[in-house]
Amino acid sequence: MEPELKSLINSITPLDEAAMADARKRQARLAKPPGSLGRLEELSIQLAGITGQVHNKIEKKHLLVFAADNGVVAEGVASSPQSVTLMQTVNLTRAKTGASVLARHFGCGITVCDVGVNADIRDKAVMNRKIAYGTQNMVNGPAMTRSQALTAIFTGAQLARETPADVIGIGEMGIGNTTTSSAILSVLLGADVEAVTGRGGGVTDEGFRRKKDAIRRAIAVNSPDRSDVVDVLRKVGGFDIAAMCGAFLGAAATHRPVVIDGFISAVAALCAVRLCPHAQGYLVPSHASYEIGYRLAMDAMNLEPMLLLGMRLGEGSGCPLAFEVLDAACAVINDMATFEQAGIDDDYLDEIREGDKFTVEGAR
């Protein structure tokens, strides 16, 4: 599977600079002070680079949620029992969780994919791509084999490639996965465990201590190679994060924007960027996560979240909100009048370019 991974990585191209230049020119012609729509302008230019077109539409929106269990929960690192993974995986398909309620509200499609839940799921609404019944306890050795890690990556990539949507969001469900995410981030950044590890779902002080201790022990036992992302994923990661990493790559390979949710999604995105730096241009962060490692992951990818809502649920809950912002960015570049169309003459245009304040009265 190593050649297939190389082929996937090589299929991801840099953003289309010519299309981005054309989008910047159009933004400069729109009837507004330069940069006055801030992030919406930046997003419209990024979308042009992703698709190769100045004018884009965000009509079909889809959330991919990857579910899996993690053997490290045996160390008492989580505030909820492992059985919650199973229950919430099914509930995601029934619009009973935060992410699925938001997806339904905004008319987004959602696919919930079991890549490693520690139970048999007989609900046909859950896509069965189970690799194993959860990972091994990473404190005692590798969480999975290299073959399993690659299988998870390709599972995510294939699902993203086959999803018929203009934009894709990447979420997760898995008790214990803030522990695996923190372990991955610690290795990839060479950062101290304290700097990247938060409380996740709200563990007690004792549970928080066990969580950090488990991460340290797992890294010490496994000695993951930070220059080899697959090695890091297989030793201290999870099936969900590996599949999410693949989904980010798959979306980029098909020239579509792909939205990062919170901390766990951000770590998976970082894995994708470390495998293929070109993938960074296709990423759209949604909200700022409360997890302390989130900021470090964003900085490592030179990304900035769009929304500050105090959210820390996971599941992909930030993605439906980000889809709407992307839709707004398209509306601006597609539908706003240019200076010429708005009847604004050269004198006013010169004033705007010199930085004078533009007013509705002045336009008239």
Side-chain angles (χ1 to χ4, degrees), residues 107-293:
C108 307
I110 182 170
T111 298
V112 182
C113 182
D114 169 16
V115 287
V117 177
N118 188 22
D120 289 312
I121 301 178
R122 295 178 174 83
D123 193 313
K124 293 182 179 179
V126 177
M127 179 180 287
N128 183 5
R129 296 292 184 272
K130 194 188 299 289
I131 298 165
Y133 290 87
T135 58
Q136 299 298 309
N137 185 349
M138 65 183 188
V139 168
N140 300 325
M144 64 189 89
T145 67
R146 189 175 183 91
S147 176
Q148 287 176 325
L150 289 167
T151 298
I153 291 172
F154 291 129
T155 297
Q158 180 182 10
L159 185 52
R161 280 172 155 170
E162 294 175 351
T163 297
D166 300 311
V167 62
I168 295 173
I170 309 299
E172 43 62 41
M173 174 52 60
I175 298 302
N177 59 9
T178 61
T179 301
T180 52
S181 298
S182 296
I184 292 168
L185 189 60
S186 176
V187 174
L188 290 182
L189 300 186
D192 187 84
V193 171
E194 289 282 350
V196 300
T197 308
R199 290 180 178 268
V203 294
T204 63
D205 289 344
E206 176 59 23
F208 190 32
R209 183 196 65 75
R210 289 195 299 267
K211 181 177 182 177
K212 291 182 286 188
D213 180 61
I215 295 170
R216 292 190 186 94
R217 288 159 59 201
I219 293 172
V221 165
N222 289 290
S223 299
D225 179 0
R226 63 182 296 191
S227 67
D228 181 353
V229 172
V230 178
D231 189 64
V232 178
L233 284 168
R234 88 171 188 91
K235 288 179 175 176
V236 296
F239 294 130
D240 50 353
I241 300 173
M244 294 163 76
C245 168
F248 282 113
L249 295 174
T254 50
H255 295 276
R256 288 176 292 171
V258 57
V259 175
I260 301 170
D261 182 37
F263 174 57
I264 300 156
S265 187
V267 170
L270 178 60
C271 290
V273 171
R274 288 292 175 90
L275 283 169
C276 178
H278 290 326
Q280 188 269 354
Y282 296 81
L283 304 177
V284 179
S286 56
H287 67 287
S289 169
Y290 261 38
E291 283 290 301
I292 62 172

